[in-house]
Amino acid sequence: MLSPDYYYDSIYMIPYNDLWQRGIRALIFDLDNTLAPYDTPRPQAKVIALIRRLKRIGFTVCLLTNNTKKRVDTYNEHLELIAIHGAMKPFASGINRAIKAMDAKREETAIIGDQLFSDIWGGRNAKILTILVKPVSKYDIPLVRWRRLPEKLLINAYLKKLKSEKK
Ligand SMILES: [Mg+2]
């Protein structure tokens, strides 16, 4: 079954220090609906603060999107991260490019994103740690929208399994 390694309410709830402790050194962030809604061209102050904190911990951080160069370049203007567009997730190729661009090791890399069928599947294909977060906005582009229902079913099954394992 397609499921993430971890699932959090948002990028702010992820225990980044724990990730560092377990050897994760490089973080790949999806952009749309993970860091920002589709219609937010520039990062909010809290995103900028988070990225700063992650850099201070020592992480290498990268933006990876299936969206356009213009979208990610505008968003990245003040963040100045490694940024990759047209990633073609769920294929591993864009993720592999990100790992290479960060000069990271696969086993030290995690992907963080809001879509099971894009970010998490892609992360699985690239054999890296996968962290699912809830989408920051209710709006999805049409291509994504039709995937939300099967995605929800899989996430519910995943949460149910987690719960039964904890018993
Ligand atoms: Mg997304």
Side-chain angles (χ1 to χ4, degrees), residues 30-36 38 65 89 113-115 118-119 140 144 148:
D30 168 55
L31 204 179
D32 292 310
N33 254 346
T34 296
L35 293 178
Y38 282 91
T65 179
K89 294 171 281 183
D114 70 298
Q115 279 192 65
S118 168
D119 310 302
D140 281 307
V144 172
R148 288 293 184 194

Side-chain angles (χ1 to χ4, degrees), residues 59-77:
F59 287 109
T60 308
V61 184
C62 167
L63 302 177
L64 181 78
T65 179
N66 285 355
N67 210 329
T68 60
K69 181 171 182 358
K70 183 166 179 271
R71 165 63 165 143
V72 73
D73 281 353
T74 305
Y75 193 84
N76 192 31
E77 240 164 53

Side-chain angles (χ1 to χ4, degrees), residues 127-147:
K127 297 187 166 53
I128 59 173
L129 192 80
T130 55
I131 302 173
L132 183 68
V133 292
K134 291 181 180 167
V136 294
S137 140
K138 281 200 163 50
Y139 175 78
D140 281 307
I141 54 170
L143 175 73
V144 172
R145 202 178 311 143
W146 71 266
R147 293 199 297 232

Side-chain angles (χ1 to χ4, degrees), residues 145-159:
R145 202 178 311 143
W146 71 266
R147 293 199 297 232
R148 288 293 184 194
L149 180 63
E151 186 175 75
K152 207 170 173 185
L153 296 174
L154 280 173
I155 292 170
N156 285 344
Y158 162 76
L159 291 174

Side-chain angles (χ1 to χ4, degrees), residues 35-113:
L35 293 178
Y38 282 91
D39 57 359
T40 304
R42 286 167 208 285
Q44 295 159 285
K46 57 182 180 178
V47 172
I48 296 172
L50 174 66
I51 300 291
R52 200 170 291 154
R53 177 159 78 85
L54 296 178
K55 283 181 174 170
R56 214 179 304 130
I57 294 173
F59 287 109
T60 308
V61 184
C62 167
L63 302 177
L64 181 78
T65 179
N66 285 355
N67 210 329
T68 60
K69 181 171 182 358
K70 183 166 179 271
R71 165 63 165 143
V72 73
D73 281 353
T74 305
Y75 193 84
N76 192 31
E77 240 164 53
H78 297 291
L79 294 175
E80 296 175 355
L81 299 171
I82 295 163
I84 291 171
H85 65 277
M88 306 254 300
K89 294 171 281 183
F91 297 106
S93 57
I95 295 172
N96 289 338
R97 252 155 66 211
I99 295 170
K100 206 166 180 186
M102 289 190 292
D103 203 11
K105 293 199 183 98
R106 201 168 291 275
E107 61 273 21
E108 293 178 352
T109 306
I111 185 165
I112 299 157

